[in-house]
Amino acid sequence: MSDEAVDRAVRGSGVVPTPYDTDDHLTRPEALTALTDRERGVTALAAHGMSNAEIAERLVLSPLTVRSHIQRAMTKLHARDRAQLVVIAYQSGLVTPQPRPGDHTGGQNRCE
């Protein structure tokens, strides 16, 4: 499908692109100000690889409440899915990569 065809389809669908339709917003920490403290915390734990059940246990919440926080964060940050929410969390600085136990590369990938 050509770019022109995509443009026509978007215009005809009634979908109005937002400023967040480009990836440049992913690196702006101020994008996170739309989130509540709880949504930020749940997003950070999700970015560290925790499941909804694990987050619920850690924060003493129900898994459905955690799911709601994740969904609201995704909506507010215009994330298509949980994976994109995790990308946003890292690129905005909400979380930073941590070296794994036993990783002596300082968290960087190196070929020996």
Side-chain angles (χ1 to χ4, degrees), residues 20 22-32 35 43-44 47 73-95:
Y20 291 113
T22 61
D23 287 341
D24 68 336
H25 80 284
L26 297 178
T27 58
R28 289 185 283 160
E30 62 270 13
L32 297 176
L35 302 181
T43 297
M74 287 171 49
T75 299
K76 289 177 180 180
L77 296 175
H78 305 275
R80 289 182 301 271
D81 52 31
R82 189 181 182 115
Q84 189 178 31
L85 184 66
V86 169
V87 169
I88 292 168
Y90 277 96
Q91 290 187 346
S92 67
L94 178 64
V95 293

Side-chain angles (χ1 to χ4, degrees), residues 3 6 12 15 22 24 27-28 37 41 47 56 59-60 64 72-73 88 90-91 99-100 107 109:
D3 289 343
V6 171
V15 174
T22 61
D24 68 336
T27 58
R28 289 185 283 160
D37 288 342
L59 299 178
V60 192
L64 288 176
R72 282 197 300 274
I88 292 168
Y90 277 96
Q91 290 187 346
R100 296 181 202 178
N109 292 329

Side-chain angles (χ1 to χ4, degrees), residues 98-104:
Q98 301 294 314
R100 296 181 202 178
D103 181 3
H104 301 291

